[in-house]
Each structure stands twice: as C-alpha cells, then as structure tokens.
Amino acid sequence: MKYQHRPLVRLTNRIGIAALALLVLPSLVAALAFRGEAGEHFSFLNHSLSELGRYGETSPLAVMVNGGLFFGGLALSLSFIFSSWLINRRFHSPLLVCGVLLSLCLSGCGLFPVNVGNLHSKAMMAFYVMTILCALVYCRSILMDKPPRWGVIPAVAAASLATTLLLRQDALMVLQDRYPYGLFGEVRPTVWWPALTGWLLLLCVTLWLFYALVLVFRDADETPPLDG
C-alpha cells in the first residue's frame, strides 16, 4: 500500500466505528421514548429490538432504530470494502468477508422491520445463520493468521447466542409481532430470554466487528510503504 493511502484507511476505519455507533445508539435513545401496550417502560430484560423498530404508537422513534440498522450496516460494509481495497486491492480476507456479510445482514434487519412480518423473520434468521458461519471463518483466521487469540471471544459468544435463538422451537414466532400470537398474557414476564439473548447478541456482534476494524487498521499500519 502506498504511504499516501494511509490517511484514507484511517478515514474509512473511523467511518466504520461511527457506523457501529449508529447500530447501537439509536436503540438506546428510542428505548427512552418507548411505551408498551400496557403503558410500561422499555426494559432490555423483556423487550426486544424488534419491538423498538415496530412502527406504531408504542415506539415513536422506530424510524430512528430501523434507519440506524440500515444505514449503519451499509456504511460499515463499505468501510470494510474500501479499507481492504486501499491496503492490498484484494477481497479475499476473512475479516473483510465476515465484516461485510454481517453488516449487510444487520442492514437487512433494519430494512424489514417487524411490521412486515415474514420478511422480518427471514432477515433475522439470516442474521443468526450468518453469525454462526462467519464466526467459524473468522475464528479460524484469528487462530491461524491474526493473533492475539482472545480476539475470538466475541465471535464465539455471538455464535453461541445466535445458535440458542436459532434452535428455539418458537424461533419464527418470537420474531413476529408477539401480541397477535398471544405469547404473553396481560403481564409481561420479568425476563423474556429471547429478548435478552437478542440484545446480548447485538452487543457481541458489535464488539466483534469493532475488533475486526481494529485488525484491518493494524494491517494498514504494518504494511510496508512502497516507494514511488
């Protein structure tokens, strides 16, 4: 990589970090404005991300949540692509492939909110499956080529959480608008595990992608500059 490209790599890396914030921060803001059907406040223990993105009276900032996922995912995928291109003009890196695929899946979850029903379920299920597949590729890359090995921790945790959600017997049902399906009565449980697990999954994936961005930036700094 020519030396003059390094500032561009730094810029794309910072755009990627800003995109990660865009995936998370809108949900935190929207949670403050959320009021459930029973008038309850939002809780990460028993309200899901899908509920925050449901258009209607309960989540007045749903457009912010879905927009954050959609545009944050797109910006993050472009950050990985441009960084890799600026470093070596090749698109074979497992870090790149995993980062782009996961980012696009997150973008799809924002594009198809829970109001569209079946499409939302398919987008979420694709995200779960892609998390597991990308974790396998990513962990192999970390263990074989890109130490330190503790970098596999967020990916392994994310894959475990995604597997838990994917293997539930009611996996598709809990991704729909839960009230029409009668999953709860009038009283919401104190802890609804699919919701809590989903938030933990988003946290682990965010940490995983952040670490991948750090590694991409490290590759740029360690690549010797070319003369001319």
Side-chain angles (χ1 to χ4, degrees):
M1 184 185 70
K2 292 185 178 181
Y3 182 80
Q4 57 264 35
H5 287 166
R6 293 182 187 273
L8 291 178
V9 174
R10 292 188 180 92
L11 176 60
T12 57
N13 187 267
R14 289 170 182 172
I15 291 174
I17 292 174
L20 285 175
L22 197 58
L23 295 175
V24 177
L25 293 181
S27 297
L28 301 180
V29 176
L32 299 176
F34 181 90
R35 292 295 181 274
E37 282 84 349
E40 78 277 11
H41 293 279
F42 186 87
S43 171
F44 292 98
L45 297 178
N46 54 24
H47 292 82
S48 68
L49 176 61
S50 296
E51 290 182 81
L52 279 184
R54 181 177 59 192
Y55 294 111
E57 296 181 358
T58 58
S59 185
L61 299 180
V63 65
M64 180 186 295
V65 176
N66 296 321
L69 287 172
F70 178 70
F71 291 108
L74 286 182
L76 188 58
S77 64
L78 291 175
S79 174
F80 277 111
I81 291 173
F82 286 138
S83 293
S84 180
W85 185 81
L86 289 168
I87 294 170
N88 54 28
R89 300 179 188 273
R90 293 165 52 195
F91 299 96
H92 307 306
S93 168
L95 295 177
L96 167 69
V97 173
C98 294
V100 171
L101 290 178
L102 278 178
S103 300
L104 290 178
C105 284
L106 284 169
S107 185
C109 295
L111 181 62
F112 302 112
V114 72
N115 299 77
V116 298
N118 192 42
L119 288 176
H120 175 74
S121 298
K122 290 181 178 179
M124 292 296 295
M125 296 293 277
F127 172 58
Y128 298 158
V129 171
M130 195 59 64
T131 297
I132 298 169
L133 296 178
C134 285
L136 294 175
V137 176
Y138 170 86
C139 289
R140 182 184 182 279
S141 177
I142 294 295
L143 295 175
M144 298 291 292
D145 305 319
K146 297 185 180 295
R149 293 180 177 178
W150 59 261
V152 305
I153 293 176
V156 171
S160 300
L161 294 167
T163 302
T164 299
L165 291 169
L166 191 64
L167 295 182
R168 288 181 61 92
Q169 292 184 348
D170 57 353
L172 287 174
M173 186 179 294
V174 300
L175 293 173
Q176 301 285 349
D177 197 338
R178 58 178 184 76
Y179 281 100
Y181 285 86
L183 294 181
F184 301 148
E186 295 182 359
V187 180
R188 186 185 291 261
T190 303
V191 178
W192 188 41
W193 288 108
L196 179 58
T197 305
W199 285 110
L200 292 174
L201 173 60
L202 179 62
L203 175 62
C204 290
V205 168
T206 302
L207 293 174
W208 171 6
L209 292 174
F210 174 76
Y211 186 72
L213 283 172
V214 171
L215 289 181
V216 169
F217 187 64
R218 186 188 72 180
D219 284 350
D221 273 348
E222 292 180 352
T223 302
L226 299 176
D227 294 334

